Amino acid sequence: MENFSEMIARALKLPAHRVENTLKLLEGGATIPFISRYRKEATGGMDEVQIGEIQARNEKLRELAKRKETVLSTIEGQGKLTPELRARIDACWDATELEDIYLPYKPKRKTRAEMARQKGLEPLAALLLIQRENRLDARVHAFVKGEVKDEEEALKGARDIIAEQVSEDERARSLVRGCFARRGVIVSKVVKGKEADEAAQKYRDYFDFSEPLKRCSSHRLLALRRGEAEGILKVSITPEDDEECIRGLERRYVKGGNACSAQVAEAVADAYKRLLKPAIETEFSGTSKERADEEAIHVFAENLRQLLLAPPLGQKRVMGIDPGYRTGCKVVCLDAQGALLCNDTVYPHPPKSERQAAARKLTTLVEQYKVEAIAIGNGTASRETEQFVNALRFGREVQVFVVSEDGASVYSASKTAREEFPDYDVTVRGAVSIGRRLIDPLAELVKIDAKSIGVGQYQHDVDQTKLKAALDRTVESCVNLVGVNVNTASRHLLTYVSGLGPALAQNIVDYRTAHGPFRSRKELLDVPRMGAKAFEQCAGFLRIPNAGNPLDNSAVHPESYPIVEQMAKDLKCAVSDLIADKSLRERIRMEDYVTDEVGIPTLTDILHELEKPGRDPRKRLEAFCFDPNVHTLDDLCEGMELPGIVTNITNFGCFVDIGIKEKGLVHVSQLADHFVSDPTTVVSIHQQVRVRVLSVDRERKRIQLTMKEK
């Protein structure tokens, strides 16, 4: 681990002892949120991104170490492991270089070169490579025997051996790799006969496409690979000039101008076209896809973070409406904790158009259940339902919000929803999800597969294992940033709390059901299987409102309670007084409480938390209205200015909901009057923006928008 910490520290330009401390904490079972929040002295105040990068690099180095063991064992088994080769492998920490070293020793299927060797042609290949023989015909004749029928077959076999040797030579692979890196071009062509297919039209821009690989953006590369996977495009990566690669190889291997040199030149060209080029193309295809995956996953994770941290309405009584035409609008009323109180269906829209009956029903429900806000799903009939509801006159103040319903259908048909509402159908569950998203987006969205929430691009095309890991880390980070009320949180929300997981989360819910609400954090230790380590990891992120100790509803960790109690004692007051009275807190000298274990970073965090214990870091929710004159694509015209909500961000721009079925695209070049390299620096998920219509492609149902000033 020490060597790894030094390598990681060099790569990330971090102090080696800080990296080593972080790795020790991770090895000891500490989670990233816990380390970032409560072990700042050990890490030097690293954030979750830095700690996650240390963890990822450590895992890669461990995998590489295991691979090196396999390589050494295989070569040693062949009796070819020299001290020099062992030393070189031991010193190698680059996966590509390691595979290049290993390639000549790697067990292979029966190749053309291997068959030539079995025919006794290896000495002829060695003779050709020396390139000093001036009477080649006479020397070749000696190899025409056994399975070798003539001189041409002998030379062909020798060339196959040379071609394989060239293809396995590290220097040759490095040379070709350099050509691909400098001058590689990604090319796509439409598969013959697919041009007119309706499914192929979304790839029309790539029917005859080429671009330098190093300039190909991640979203474009993933689109090309998706088109290839669907059998519509044929995609390849190739150097701009194959002859440049071949000439480079010839300069390395062709040493003269005699007949032997001509044979070597022919073997080199064959090595490039048949072996090296396909191998390096596969390598670049993999690495470029990996980079595109990483970028797409990063964008998706950042979008998810913004969505999960969207402003909550808070604990208020809410009516959730899942709009519809023929099947009607599904209506539910929820209490302030999101529990279902009633459900119904109204039909204010065609074909039934029972507007008066629907109006009476909704006003009655609002009054009966003292509804404070209404959440309307943003799917089919959303705009019409919003206008209908806004026109009603309630006997109380009621705010109306349009809520994203992406993933609600996935939730409503899930095992989770069936467990929560076994006696209700999917329509009721969907309306409940819409209402709860208004109360607390984070608590509701953790129940849904993140890929179904609608804030990703090409999420089904990227590495699914890496995607899941990144999204799980993002959810965990958000849940722990906000904190969780242990007495109201669902099992699904508790699962993401640092140190818990599904089993302990369920045990907490079961204990709460059997014994009533938790009265203190200390009581968590009575939960079955809640050991000291799990308690250490989770306690600071769990909140207990109205607990006897006010610190139990704060982010102050129980391990730091004695510090706060000492502060209060020194000021001759209670902890509650310390929280309530700013003047008391201003009298605290942090230096007086520094110890070997507790430094200024932790003490600073404690004082910040005492100012506003248990505060929610999310922003306040703001009401929003779409343009009442825009309902369909046909209502749009160029130059029109509209209010909108950012629903998705990609590395090429953002998508904006302007109140119709189709989302508009603000290209990255249209986000601001200045140059924008990263859209997330300008916009965020659920941000309210004003846009202007640049163009409307009604045939392809595409809307181009701008956020630039006129």
Side-chain angles (χ1 to χ4, degrees), residues 140-382:
V140 172
H141 184 72
F143 291 92
V144 180
K145 57 186 177 182
E147 295 181 51
V148 182
K149 298 182 178 60
D150 53 35
E151 293 179 0
E152 180 50 41
E153 186 176 338
L155 288 170
K156 183 177 182 303
R159 290 197 302 271
D160 286 342
I161 293 171
I162 293 170
E164 185 172 274
Q165 289 176 353
V166 169
S167 75
E168 293 180 346
D169 187 337
E170 288 179 62
R171 295 168 301 173
R173 297 179 78 82
S174 179
L175 187 151
V176 175
R177 203 174 275 127
C179 289
F180 270 79
R182 290 190 306 274
R183 308 284 293 276
V185 177
I186 186 164
V187 178
S188 72
K189 303 282 185 185
V190 64
V191 172
K192 192 173 181 181
K194 295 283 188 179
E195 302 93 333
D197 286 6
E198 185 178 342
Q201 296 315 301
K202 59 185 174 182
Y203 299 108
R204 195 163 64 194
D205 295 341
Y206 303 119
F207 282 2
D208 187 11
F209 171 86
S210 69
E211 183 177 43
L213 180 61
K214 58 187 176 184
R215 290 218 307 264
C216 187
S217 60
S218 65
H219 66 272
R220 193 173 293 128
L221 191 141
L222 290 171
L224 289 167
R225 292 302 181 193
R226 179 188 285 182
E228 182 181 41
E230 293 178 7
I232 293 166
L233 301 176
K234 181 174 175 55
V235 181
S236 62
I237 297 173
T238 182
E240 198 171 46
D241 184 3
D242 284 331
E243 292 304 315
E244 179 188 347
C245 291
I246 293 172
R247 287 194 297 272
L249 291 169
E250 286 178 344
R251 283 193 293 273
R252 186 171 295 280
Y253 297 102
V254 181
K255 304 300 183 185
N258 58 20
C260 290
S261 301
Q263 292 292 322
V264 173
E266 191 175 340
V268 164
D270 177 52
Y272 173 73
K273 293 174 183 174
R274 180 170 59 86
L275 300 171
L276 272 171
K277 183 181 177 182
I280 302 301
E281 179 182 0
T282 299
E283 186 180 299
F284 269 72
S285 178
T287 54
S288 62
K289 171 67 164 56
E290 191 174 326
R291 282 195 299 272
D293 281 4
E294 287 175 1
E295 194 168 336
I297 289 169
H298 172 74
V299 171
F300 192 170
E302 184 55 36
N303 285 352
L304 178 63
R305 175 181 296 278
Q306 293 178 15
L307 185 64
L308 293 174
L309 296 178
L313 180 67
Q315 293 191 341
K316 294 188 177 182
R317 294 177 295 279
V318 166
M319 174 183 286
I321 303 179
D322 187 357
Y325 291 115
R326 184 182 56 82
T327 56
C329 298
K330 306 303 181 292
V331 182
V332 297
C333 292
L334 311 175
D335 69 13
Q337 283 72 45
L340 177 62
L341 302 175
C342 82
N343 68 281
D344 212 324
T345 305
V346 295
Y347 300 87
H349 312 307
K352 290 192 175 182
S353 299
E354 298 173 353
R355 295 179 68 82
Q356 290 185 347
R360 285 195 300 272
K361 174 61 71 176
L362 292 184
T363 53
T364 299
L365 290 175
V366 165
E367 187 59 35
Q368 182 178 351
Y369 293 101
K370 297 180 173 53
V371 169
E372 298 169 271
I374 297 176
I376 301 170
N378 68 342
T380 304
S382 173

Side-chain angles (χ1 to χ4, degrees), residues 379-662:
T380 304
S382 173
R383 294 299 307 286
E384 292 82 353
T385 304
E386 180 193 10
Q387 288 184 343
F388 172 72
V389 171
N390 277 323
L392 298 178
R393 294 290 176 265
F394 301 112
R396 58 176 50 248
E397 184 180 343
V398 179
Q399 290 180 287
V400 179
F401 299 89
V402 175
V403 177
S404 170
E405 60 180 51
D406 285 331
S409 59
V410 174
Y411 162 76
S412 62
S414 69
K415 180 184 177 185
T416 300
R418 291 196 300 274
E419 289 174 352
E420 281 195 279
F421 302 105
D423 301 325
Y424 296 94
D425 64 16
V426 292
T427 61
V428 175
R429 298 171 193 156
V432 170
S433 181
I434 289 168
R436 285 178 172 177
R437 288 188 195 197
L438 181 61
I439 296 172
D440 189 343
L442 177 60
E444 190 61 20
L445 291 172
V446 295
K447 302 173 186 175
I448 302 169
D449 180 0
K451 288 188 294 183
S452 304
I453 294 177
V455 291
Q457 282 280 299
Y458 304 104
Q459 58 261 41
H460 300 292
D461 302 298
V462 302
D463 184 302
Q464 296 300 294
T465 302
K466 289 182 179 177
L467 176 64
K468 184 179 186 309
L471 299 185
D472 283 349
R473 281 196 304 272
T474 301
V475 175
E476 180 184 40
S477 172
C478 293
V479 169
N480 290 289
L481 174 67
V482 172
V484 171
N485 182 338
V486 72
N487 285 326
T488 60
S490 68
R491 170 175 60 86
H492 310 89
L493 189 59
L494 288 167
T495 295
Y496 288 100
V497 172
S498 169
L500 293 185
L504 262 177
Q506 185 62 59
N507 288 354
I508 288 174
V509 172
D510 292 343
Y511 183 93
R512 191 173 71 197
T513 302
H515 299 87
F518 287 90
R519 293 172 293 280
S520 70
R521 278 175 170 165
K522 189 176 180 182
E523 192 181 346
L524 286 164
L525 289 166
D526 296 331
V527 173
R529 298 182 63 185
M530 177 68 79
K533 188 68 180 179
F535 179 79
E536 175 197 62
Q537 296 296 305
C538 75
F541 303 106
L542 295 173
R543 309 279 186 268
I544 303 177
N546 305 313
N549 187 338
L551 296 178
D552 283 349
N553 193 35
S554 76
V556 176
H557 196 282
E559 67 188 9
S560 296
Y561 285 8
I563 298 171
V564 181
E565 289 161 359
Q566 186 62 49
M567 290 174 175
K569 183 179 178 182
D570 292 345
L571 291 168
K572 297 179 174 56
C573 68
V575 170
S576 57
D577 298 329
L578 204 56
I579 293 171
D581 192 339
K582 181 181 178 182
S583 63
L584 286 172
R585 294 195 301 274
E586 289 175 343
R587 291 166 55 190
I588 295 172
R589 285 169 36 90
M590 285 193 289
E591 302 80 21
D592 295 344
Y593 302 96
V594 173
T595 67
D596 292 340
E597 291 78 28
V598 179
I600 295 297
T602 293
L603 293 167
T604 301
D605 283 348
I606 289 172
L607 288 182
H608 283 163
E609 191 60 26
L610 292 177
E611 288 177 18
K612 293 181 181 178
R615 67 192 181 281
D616 193 321
R618 294 172 289 183
K619 295 178 181 177
R620 291 176 61 84
L621 185 63
E622 296 178 9
F624 174 85
C625 289
F626 290 113
D627 189 311
N629 300 311
V630 175
H631 297 275
T632 69
L633 198 66
D634 293 332
D635 294 329
L636 297 179
C637 61
E638 291 182 15
M640 184 179 283
E641 289 195 10
L642 301 166
I645 295 178
V646 176
T647 60
N648 200 358
I649 302 173
T650 71
N651 50 13
F652 57 85
C654 70
F655 289 92
V656 176
D657 184 355
I658 53 175
I660 63 176
K661 182 179 179 182
E662 296 79 13

Side-chain angles (χ1 to χ4, degrees), residues 51-68:
I51 297 168
E53 184 64 24
I54 290 171
Q55 184 182 53
R57 285 180 180 264
N58 187 53
E59 288 170 357
K60 279 189 176 181
L61 287 169
R62 286 184 177 279
E63 288 172 11
L64 191 55
K66 288 180 182 177
R67 179 62 177 161
K68 285 165 69 170

Side-chain angles (χ1 to χ4, degrees), residues 71-83 85-86 105:
V71 167
L72 287 167
S73 174
T74 303
I75 299 174
E76 190 171 33
Q78 297 169 359
K80 298 177 181 178
L81 185 62
T82 63
L85 183 56
R86 177 185 285 278
Y105 309 96

